[in-house]
Amino acid sequence: INNYGYLTWEWTNGLRGYSYPLIFASIYKALQLLAQDDVQLLIWVPRLAQAVLAAFADVKLYSLVQHLENAETAKCVYFCQLCSWFTWYSCTRTLTNTMETLLTIFALSYYPIKGSKMGSSCKYLALVALAIVIRPTAVIPWIPLVFSHFLQEQRKADLILHNCIPIGLVTVGTSLIIDRVFSGEWVLVQLNFLKFNVLQNLGTFYGSHPWHWYFTQGLPVILGTHLPFFIHGCALAAKRYRILLMAVIWTVLVYSMLSHKEFRFIYPILPFCMVFCGYSLKHLKAWKKSAASFLLLSNLLPALYTGLIHQRGALDVMSHIQQLCNNSHQSQAFVFIMMPCHSTPFYSHVHCPLKMRFLQCPPDLTGNESYIDEADVFYSNPLGWLNKEFYNDSLLPSHLIFFSVLEQEISSFLALRGYEKTATVFHTHVPQGRVGSHIYVYRKGTEMNH
């Protein structure tokens, strides 16, 4: 929108589609046209938009259960959804996983579960298709659901010819056109995504976990103290909800096959789990109040801690960088972020054409066995790398940003080149490996610049 910014390797390799970012780009464009594109608005408006959508999705979940069961069960499900620490942590983030989850809830509210009169094949399939365009993995939880619907449906040919095929063609077509307009070439992002993550299994480049990780850590951590309620609810719930449980188990199984695992990947099945948790809570007649208090209190702390304190430095440090925009020396400033790649946001939190650089870590797509990315090369010998990269004083960045764990190792470089610490930003109470407890901002001394 402002003719500067940064595209990661996923964009140059056609793994990311423009449909989802287009929502935020449109908001940015509107702010620009209204001359209201203040950096704080650029940071907060996407989160607010995501939060409003998340609130709508929660209400949809409530009305779905109310329609299928009764107001009391709906209140219990709604309560469980609202006090889930992981929902708090994720629902306002502009991750594709978040949008995938919200669209899954919207689609579920139109899905023809037995006993539902609100079912609409057209609406739910359109929402599922939209979710798949935004994040192709959205297809996973819906495979058992769509298959079950197909088996129940009397007019199978109608469902395929009048719903599935037209909706599929329209959404894929729209997605293709959007990506063609913005990338300048025809690219089927969903296919590339599948090739990269499943067929070539290149996601392992970003770490791999044992097959059982989602069962032993992923799902238990996301559910937190909801876990016993979920198990109890599964035993109690009516037969017609078995399909939701099937979707949960199937999704976890499919993701377990892929070696690169993350908590956020299974976020879309969390609302399904909440239906069972709410079912359980409603049936704890005498214990209901104590159980609800326990759920609320046990989720409040992790929600507040992960949402407000844990790893906040990556965002806080951006305000220090942003201040360089108001500086008269902006054209000479050069910020180098020496942290594990993508540790901090980039131009969306700076909003001026500041010269910035971070350590790169694209995976190797050529099949080179001995490939090592820039970040790994840097961390294997930080001092040697810096001396080699900035062999000439004229190449030196004006500002260096790095985690506290690195300071000792590069102290001689900092002293020799005249850098001085100008800010210390808290990041986390649990530093690990390359991630330190604090982030340091170093600025090059002025007498060195003349």
Side-chain angles (χ1 to χ4, degrees):
I1 290 168
N2 297 289
N3 296 319
Y4 63 88
Y6 183 84
L7 286 179
T8 56
W9 66 271
E10 290 100 334
W11 294 94
T12 44
N13 288 290
L15 282 181
R16 293 277 182 270
Y18 287 85
S19 310
Y20 182 49
L22 194 58
I23 302 170
F24 304 113
S26 312
I27 298 173
Y28 282 176
K29 192 68 189 172
L31 287 172
Q32 190 193 38
L33 293 172
L34 295 166
Q36 295 296 322
D37 56 340
D38 172 64
V39 68
Q40 287 306 318
L41 279 176
L42 293 193
I43 293 169
W44 285 99
V45 169
R47 296 184 202 176
L48 285 168
Q50 200 77 55
V52 168
L53 273 175
F56 270 120
D58 289 345
V59 173
K60 265 290 189 208
L61 189 64
Y62 172 82
S63 58
L64 169 71
V65 181
Q66 188 185 20
H67 167 74
L68 288 170
E69 293 291 329
N70 50 46
E72 197 191 344
T73 313
K75 271 182 196 158
C76 291
V77 172
Y78 191 49
F79 176 79
C80 288
Q81 169 75 353
L82 287 189
C83 72
S84 155
W85 79 271
F86 195 77
T87 301
W88 274 88
Y89 178 67
S90 307
C91 72
T92 58
R93 295 177 170 234
T94 49
L95 296 165
T96 47
N97 308 86
T98 305
M99 201 57 173
E100 178 191 357
T101 306
L102 302 183
L103 287 169
T104 293
I105 298 178
F106 288 130
L108 193 63
S109 66
Y110 296 112
Y111 177 77
I113 294 179
K114 283 188 185 116
S116 163
K117 293 183 181 58
M118 285 158 58
S120 155
S121 304
C122 199
K123 282 181 185 169
Y124 101 82
L125 287 168
L127 287 159
V128 172
L130 187 59
I132 295 168
V133 163
I134 287 172
R135 190 171 177 87
T137 50
V139 73
I140 299 169
W142 283 99
I143 288 173
L145 288 157
V146 173
F147 186 64
S148 159
H149 173 208
F150 178 73
L151 291 180
Q152 287 171 43
E153 186 62 52
Q154 258 86 51
R155 299 180 305 234
K156 290 182 172 40
D158 269 8
L159 178 67
I160 291 175
L161 295 173
H162 297 152
N163 288 328
C164 297
I165 293 174
I167 287 167
L169 289 174
V170 169
T171 40
V172 172
T174 310
S175 160
L176 265 172
I177 292 164
I178 290 172
D179 291 334
R180 170 77 177 87
V181 169
F182 290 99
S183 67
E185 56 184 3
W186 291 106
V187 55
L188 189 55
V189 173
Q190 291 74 20
L191 188 67
N192 291 346
F193 186 92
L194 183 79
K195 260 195 336 211
F196 179 86
N197 288 302
V198 182
L199 305 177
Q200 296 170 299
N201 200 11
L202 287 167
T204 49
F205 183 78
Y206 294 109
S208 58
H209 296 82
W211 68 268
H212 55 75
W213 188 83
Y214 283 119
F215 291 99
T216 52
Q217 290 173 54
L219 199 57
V221 168
I222 282 184
L223 280 167
T225 49
H226 285 72
L227 186 60
F229 295 91
F230 171 63
I231 295 166
H232 180 226
C234 289
L236 281 178
K239 256 189 185 164
R240 60 179 171 183
Y241 296 115
R242 277 189 195 156
I243 185 62
L244 296 185
L245 183 57
M246 279 284 301
V248 170
I249 296 168
W250 159 260
T251 304
V252 176
L253 279 171
V254 171
Y255 274 118
S256 296
M257 312 274 193
L258 301 172
S259 43
H260 178 58
K261 299 174 172 67
E262 289 185 41
F263 291 113
R264 64 189 175 99
F265 292 170
I266 54 168
Y267 177 35
I269 58 170
L270 198 57
F272 293 12
C273 298
M274 292 305 152
V275 172
F276 296 101
C277 295
Y279 217 92
S280 159
L281 191 62
K282 185 206 171 237
H283 285 82
L284 296 172
K285 295 186 172 57
W287 294 90
K288 198 155 121 191
K289 274 202 168 131
S290 343
S293 312
F294 164 72
L295 269 179
L296 182 64
L297 292 171
S298 60
N299 277 277
L300 196 60
L301 284 170
L304 291 171
Y305 182 74
T306 53
L308 299 173
I309 299 163
H310 182 58
Q311 294 187 349
R312 63 169 297 147
L315 293 173
D316 292 346
V317 78
M318 295 313 287
S319 57
H320 290 275
I321 298 177
Q322 211 280 319
Q323 280 159 17
L324 298 173
C325 292
N326 317 327
N327 196 317
S328 54
H329 300 297
Q330 185 208 312
S331 54
Q332 287 138 25
F334 168 23
V335 177
F336 185 26
I337 301 168
M338 300 190 292
M339 289 150 85
C341 42
H342 313 301
S343 288
T344 63
F346 221 46
Y347 285 103
S348 60
H349 285 55
V350 177
H351 196 38
C352 74
L354 194 65
K355 187 181 177 191
M356 294 199 292
R357 177 184 169 185
F358 64 92
L359 295 168
Q360 304 284 332
C361 61
D364 173 57
L365 300 169
T366 60
N368 174 6
E369 291 293 315
S370 56
Y371 171 78
I372 308 173
D373 67 63
E374 185 183 48
D376 282 342
V377 175
F378 169 82
Y379 279 107
S380 64
N381 178 10
L383 195 57
W385 189 94
L386 287 168
N387 286 324
K388 191 174 154 195
E389 189 75 11
F390 305 114
Y391 58 89
N392 187 327
D393 273 8
S394 63
L395 300 170
L396 286 169
S398 62
H399 292 74
L400 295 176
I401 289 160
F402 52 87
F403 281 120
S404 45
V405 285
L406 197 62
E407 188 180 45
Q408 203 58 46
E409 223 171 323
I410 60 167
S411 54
S412 58
F413 174 85
L414 299 169
L416 226 96
R417 301 292 199 281
Y419 282 98
E420 52 206 31
K421 193 189 296 185
T422 56
T424 301
V425 180
F426 168 77
H427 184 62
T428 177
H429 290 116
V430 276
Q432 266 179 326
R434 297 172 179 180
V435 178
S437 59
H438 289 77
I439 297 172
Y440 293 152
V441 179
Y442 268 79
R443 190 185 71 204
K444 198 159 169 10
T446 40
E447 74 283 351
M448 301 289 287
N449 290 345
H450 297 304

